[in-house]
Amino acid sequence: MQLVVARIGRAHGIKGEVTVEVRTDEPELRLGPGAVLATDPAATGPLTIESGRVHSGRLLLRFEGVRDRSGAEALRNTLLIADVDPEELPEDEDEFYDHQLIDLDVVLADGTEIGRITEISHLPSQDLFIVERPDGSEVMIPFVEEIVTEIDLEEQRAVITPPPGLIDESEAVVVSSRDEETEPERAAEETDEAPKGDA
């Protein structure tokens, strides 16, 4: 199975290094020196990682054969793709690979359907589930223990206990009920004011 593990960003310095946007929970395994990665677009690769280091909180990589800034800049926005055994599991039983989580149904503890995970966004502070709602809208759910209480791969579902306001539908209900209350008041105010303006 092929999985996107990073996206190449801008060139860093003049010796061929690039910044990368990491899209894997295991960068030390997937993006370590010697790793050979396929690319999208395919014509750019395959690329072999020569070295890597962290600078100001960002991962910098250098690839074999890329020695200057122009060569590094030519790689910008390339996706790095690793071959992963679909049966392979992370060492920590509380960790999951992205491909295990994509397409899981997201439900509340009482079984209420929220949507389906379509993407995992790896941010420096935490990971986010991008969940597509039945109406086609999207909601972002932080992948933290307090909110995602269970991942059941056998049942293909993620159980969540969202805090008030996280699921956009509940916010929409609050806003619409307020609008219903204030609309007649607005109409009354406009009616009252119109004669005064004419007088």
Side-chain angles (χ1 to χ4, degrees), residues 57-133:
R58 299 212 64 165
L59 179 62
L60 303 179
L61 295 180
R62 181 182 284 124
F63 299 99
E64 289 184 4
V66 180
R67 289 284 173 263
D68 56 28
R69 187 177 182 86
S70 60
E73 196 62 47
L75 298 175
R76 191 167 185 173
N77 293 325
T78 297
L79 296 178
L80 299 175
I81 302 167
D83 274 313
V84 178
D85 182 344
E87 301 302 316
E88 183 183 331
L89 298 175
E91 292 180 7
D92 189 332
E93 62 180 24
D94 292 328
E95 290 184 359
F96 303 89
Y97 290 135
D98 286 6
H99 70 269
Q100 296 175 293
L101 301 171
I102 298 293
D103 285 334
L104 290 189
D105 292 323
V106 178
V107 298
L108 300 179
D110 64 4
T112 302
E113 181 186 1
I114 299 301
R116 180 179 61 88
I117 299 173
T118 57
E119 185 183 340
I120 314 295
S121 180
H122 298 283
L123 302 178
S125 55
Q126 65 189 13
D127 294 339
L128 290 175
F129 290 163
I130 310 300
V131 177
E132 184 178 315
R133 306 296 306 278

Side-chain angles (χ1 to χ4, degrees), residues 10-27:
R10 63 183 62 184
H12 179 83
I14 59 171
K15 295 183 178 178
E17 284 186 312
V18 295
T19 62
V20 292
E21 174 192 312
V22 176
R23 297 190 181 178
T24 173
D25 284 335
E26 300 179 308

